[in-house]
Amino acid sequence: MLLAAGRGERMRPLTDDRPKPLLEAGGQPLLHYPLHALARAGVQRVVVNLAWRGQRIRDWLGNGARYGLEVRYSDEGAQALETGGGILKALPLLGPDAFWLVNGDVYGDYSFPATSLADGDLAHLVMVPNPDHHPGGDFCLDDGRIRADGSSRLTYSGLALLHPKLLNGQTPGIFPLAPLLIDAMKQGRVSGELHAGAWTDVGTPERLGVLDRALRDPAAAGRRD
């Protein structure tokens, strides 16, 4: 599932007329990069959630044939449902098995493995070293397991393998994903890994500019932001 429904308030005015994942870096919309990576990994079907200016994503991506993918859309209407609510709405399209969740505004060179969750686990998070703009990190990675508390924290990359059961008991509507992940961590049901390669959270126009310049300069393309 590709998350593409957010308003992108911090990117305004760039996002006044388009959804954030269609902002360009290196001559391509941000959405191009995860789609390309997923297709290269052998993924066949992708669900994209939509809200702000969602028709523009439909117009650009269509049925996904240019990437060799089958693309389906989960339209959240005028107001995005946040990550948790968006996933819950899309579950009928995603099916009963574990699925990759990918932020549509994150760039990186992570190679999606053909993997599955361990028995009893509800999530697997891809973590990265803390960037300058997020020095405190999010969660702790300890011997392949993710904990919510601890002193040595890493940053959640925006990439995760999730089981639909993580959403059990949730009511349709607007709600975040983080509290559900933290509850699962407390139960010891979240694994994780460290990705030390290229990664950029395109959260501001300045970081978009840095990524654009890096992608246009092959010598700089591996630098971390």
Side-chain angles (χ1 to χ4, degrees):
M1 179 175 179
L2 267 174
L3 297 174
R7 174 65 176 84
E9 289 288 348
R10 290 182 298 168
M11 301 297 288
R12 297 184 67 183
L14 299 177
T15 53
D16 284 349
D17 67 344
R18 71 191 66 190
K20 183 178 176 182
L22 289 188
L23 296 177
E24 292 194 358
Q28 293 284 357
L30 295 174
L31 205 57
H32 161 79
Y33 298 104
L35 286 167
H36 180 68
L38 289 165
R40 189 172 61 240
V43 171
Q44 296 179 332
R45 184 179 65 188
V46 174
V47 175
V48 180
N49 69 335
L50 306 174
W52 174 254
R53 304 294 191 191
Q55 186 59 46
R56 292 201 58 171
I57 292 178
R58 287 182 184 268
D59 293 342
W60 174 76
L61 181 55
N63 63 7
R66 77 178 76 173
Y67 293 98
L69 296 167
E70 175 192 349
V71 172
R72 301 181 182 183
Y73 296 99
S74 178
D75 196 330
E76 298 176 11
Q79 185 175 12
L81 300 175
E82 297 195 35
T83 304
I87 295 172
L88 185 64
K89 180 177 175 59
L91 283 184
L93 299 174
L94 292 166
D97 299 321
F99 59 91
W100 281 103
L101 181 73
V102 182
N103 282 3
D105 57 359
V106 166
Y107 170 84
D109 60 1
Y110 181 77
S111 297
F112 293 90
T115 187
S116 59
L117 294 171
D119 287 347
D121 278 359
L122 295 175
H124 177 86
L125 305 187
V126 180
M127 309 298 289
V128 295
N130 299 329
D132 291 343
H133 60 84
H134 191 57
D138 297 306
F139 309 120
C140 294
L141 175 62
D142 184 12
D143 196 24
R145 308 302 297 178
I146 299 288
R147 296 182 290 107
D149 301 316
S151 58
S152 181
R153 302 168 75 86
L154 296 168
T155 292
Y156 169 53
S157 68
L159 310 176
L161 186 65
L162 304 181
H163 197 284
K165 289 181 180 178
L166 181 66
L167 283 296
N168 279 0
Q170 298 304 305
T171 301
I174 301 172
F175 63 90
L177 179 65
L180 304 182
L181 287 172
I182 291 171
D183 284 346
M185 292 173 199
K186 292 177 180 178
Q187 299 171 37
R189 304 180 71 181
V190 180
S191 62
E193 65 180 286
L194 175 65
H195 172 62
W199 177 84
T200 299
D201 171 16
V202 188
T204 65
E206 291 75 20
R207 296 207 294 270
L208 178 65
V210 170
L211 177 62
D212 180 57
R213 291 189 293 273
L215 290 174
R216 294 178 187 277
D217 176 6
R223 290 203 298 255
R224 174 178 299 279
D225 177 23

